[in-house]
Amino acid sequence: MEMKLQPQPHVLLLPFPAQGHIKPMLTLAQLLCHAGIHVTFVNTEHNHRHLTQRESLSARFPTLRFRSIFDGLPSDHPRSISPYFLDIVTSLRSTTAPLLHQLLVSLASKTNDDIGAAAGDQLPPLSCVITDGLMCFAIDAAEEVGLPVIAVRTSSACSVWCYLCLPKLIEEAELPFGDEDMDKTVSGVPGKECLLRRRDLLSICRMPVDHPVFKFFMEEHIAITRASGLILNTFEDLESSVLSHIASKFSKIYPIGPLHALLKSRVDDHDLSSSSTAMAASLHREDRSCMTWLDSQRPGSVIFVSYGSLVKLTRVQLLEFWHGLVNSGSHFLWVMRSDVLSDEGEHMRHVTPTELEMGTKERGFIVDWAPQEEVLAHDAVGGFLTHSGWNSTLEAIWAGVPMLCWPQVADQQVNSRWVGEVWKIGIDMKDMCDRTTVEKMIKALMGGEEREVFTRSVDRFSKLARASVSESGSSYHNLEKLIQDLRNL
């Protein structure tokens, strides 16, 4: 008797509308499609228009379809997470949530007519929603349609555990706190009682507990535990102790990071270079001229400087960093986004000091955006001055590059504490930004006595990351479990 093939599942992926969330979610989409699963990837209309290489990704992965949904904001809204975060999340909850419900009803129907499907290619009914953990209105929408939900947190496990402990921190009167005694340790994060100081907690912990942004994150991390599972972009050997705590809150957790590396290990495609995956998920146009400049530099001599896609600097901060970089004597590649200044337009109004122009001409290279994974993998790069965003931290660990951390928002303060104190793969420079400190820290990172400790430690974690995405590795195995669980739905 001929066996009937079981149809492949169809999942909808919903990222939070920011570069650092879209990139790992789109990598996850490619991994699922490679396993034959149908994926509908839903961006806001604004980000859908700006996402590069949609067509080439759809051609490479025939079961990947892109859809867009209205975010409720006027067309001329800047949609910058900083300082418009509340605008964005309020609009998503009020306008996007009901539109998502309508889309789920349509895709869950056995007769759904998907506009992205080729003629005669009937898309199977939607079987699961995989939502970003900051889009928990999707849990309500999915439950109303009768669909299971798996959540994704694109930040570190250590920061997720801190978010989940917010109620406990309030209950134990460790939140809120004032500006005084920022080095006081906190005990309300089980398992990390002697590690975290007030300054190392999530950036929202510096707000009043009734602040709308604090309340948003607290509500989302209470809601997220209703999901049937949690996907994390990390690996067991990196965050095992924290993962065991998180596992107490969810029936299933899937640590499958580093996602960008897992994709390369799973997809045997010579066209799938680090540049093509990065570009596919980028809302910024990369300037590849920096790669030619790096080719002309000595091995390990360059410090790469990037504050990610969201962090803003004042002009004073930018000049302090610039002086520190030039005075350190190191060669540097600096991603200086056109929108990096918090005081818009200030960049053009002031003349750059002559000594900075001369120092940059001699030893520096500045671009608006760089192919970060390729830059970190380049032999010339010996250090990374970073905002400690989780994608950047994982990419540096994978490449074996020690870090100088200057965290600003969200999970970054927690990540930088782990970099400096737990993993010992770099220096935590949080809450400091003067040229003397920047110069001193760069010299320590690039050639000080501690450098050998950093490089030895980051090399060890880099090897563990590579092992995790190999066929016998934990992340590879956890992805297999996720795929099987989706098929069993």
Side-chain angles (χ1 to χ4, degrees), residues 94-116:
S94 61
T95 302
T96 309
L99 295 175
L100 177 67
H101 180 265
Q102 292 172 21
L103 180 61
L104 296 186
V105 169
S106 164
L107 292 176
S109 162
K110 288 184 179 173
T111 57
N112 76 74
D113 179 23
D114 183 70
I115 56 173

Side-chain angles (χ1 to χ4, degrees), residues 47-59 66 280:
N47 286 336
H48 182 77
R49 286 194 300 271
H50 286 83
L51 192 67
T52 58
Q53 290 199 348
R54 282 198 319 271
E55 289 179 8
S56 62
L57 273 174
S58 295
F66 290 93

Side-chain angles (χ1 to χ4, degrees), residues 19-220:
Q19 168 82 44
H21 293 247
I22 293 169
K23 182 177 180 181
M25 286 281 273
L26 190 51
T27 306
L28 173 61
Q30 293 171 72
L31 283 163
L32 297 179
C33 289
H34 181 252
I37 292 170
H38 293 271
V39 173
T40 296
F41 195 88
V42 181
N43 270 313
T44 60
E45 290 174 355
H46 175 81
N47 286 336
H48 182 77
R49 286 194 300 271
H50 286 83
L51 192 67
T52 58
Q53 290 199 348
R54 282 198 319 271
E55 289 179 8
S56 62
L57 273 174
S58 295
R60 187 179 295 143
F61 299 99
T63 60
L64 175 60
R65 294 170 179 82
F66 290 93
R67 295 287 289 265
S68 62
I69 195 165
F70 184 43
D71 61 10
L73 295 167
S75 58
D76 60 349
H77 192 285
R79 289 172 173 80
S80 169
I81 299 295
S82 174
Y84 300 106
F85 182 79
L86 266 181
D87 279 8
I88 293 167
V89 297
T90 304
S91 188
L92 288 170
R93 283 178 165 187
S94 61
T95 302
T96 309
L99 295 175
L100 177 67
H101 180 265
Q102 292 172 21
L103 180 61
L104 296 186
V105 169
S106 164
L107 292 176
S109 162
K110 288 184 179 173
T111 57
N112 76 74
D113 179 23
D114 183 70
I115 56 173
D121 180 15
Q122 180 63 37
L123 189 66
L126 192 64
S127 52
C128 180
V129 173
I130 299 179
T131 183
D132 191 295
L134 299 187
M135 305 279 273
C136 284
F137 60 78
I139 298 177
D140 295 323
E143 283 177 350
E144 288 169 21
V145 183
L147 291 167
V149 183
I150 297 173
V152 180
R153 280 306 272 120
T154 56
S155 55
S156 59
C158 52
S159 68
V160 170
W161 181 230
C162 288
Y163 278 117
L164 292 168
C165 290
L166 288 175
K168 184 174 173 63
L169 286 163
I170 293 171
E171 183 187 320
E172 297 191 0
E174 295 198 286
L175 293 179
F177 54 77
D179 294 335
E180 72 285 345
D181 199 8
M182 290 294 283
D183 289 319
K184 182 179 179 180
T185 55
V186 295
S187 58
V189 181
K192 304 299 165 190
E193 289 85 355
C194 299
L195 174 70
L196 291 165
R197 305 161 298 178
R198 286 174 170 176
R199 73 172 72 253
D200 302 318
L201 291 174
L202 306 153
S203 66
I204 58 165
C205 294
R206 303 185 184 201
M207 299 174 172
V209 294
D210 60 352
H211 191 287
V213 172
F214 184 95
K215 288 167 75 175
F216 170 82
F217 279 96
M218 180 110 140
E219 289 162 6
E220 293 296 297

Side-chain angles (χ1 to χ4, degrees), residues 238-367:
L238 187 66
E239 299 192 89
S240 58
S241 65
V242 177
L243 288 169
S244 63
H245 286 288
I246 294 173
S248 68
K249 302 277 188 182
F250 295 88
S251 57
K252 290 182 179 178
I253 63 168
Y254 306 93
I256 57 172
L259 278 165
H260 74 286
L262 186 58
L263 180 63
K264 288 176 204 165
S265 78
R266 299 279 294 212
V267 181
D268 183 21
D269 182 347
H270 294 299
D271 295 330
L272 196 59
S273 66
S274 60
S275 62
S276 68
T277 51
M279 283 179 67
S282 182
L283 304 176
H284 302 269
R285 191 170 296 280
E286 294 170 351
D287 182 345
R288 298 189 56 80
S289 62
C290 62
M291 300 307 297
T292 306
W293 180 81
L294 283 174
D295 289 341
S296 68
Q297 305 303 312
R298 287 183 295 106
S301 65
V302 175
I303 183 162
F304 175 49
V305 185
S306 176
Y307 310 106
S309 58
L310 298 179
V311 168
K312 300 273 191 179
L313 280 72
T314 64
R315 179 165 175 82
V316 170
Q317 288 172 329
L318 182 133
L319 287 174
E320 290 300 305
F321 271 115
W322 208 336
H323 278 285
L325 278 163
V326 169
N327 295 344
S328 75
S330 282
H331 289 231
F332 59 91
L333 168 59
W334 191 352
V335 174
M336 196 186 292
R337 300 188 329 266
S338 56
D339 66 343
V340 74
L341 286 178
S342 53
D343 37 2
E344 295 288 344
E346 288 297 295
H347 190 51
M348 304 305 296
R349 286 184 207 153
H350 296 269
V351 177
T352 303
T354 306
E355 65 269 27
L356 297 186
E357 277 197 353
M358 294 299 295
T360 303
K361 194 172 180 181
E362 287 172 20
R363 295 186 300 280
F365 198 87
I366 295 175
V367 292

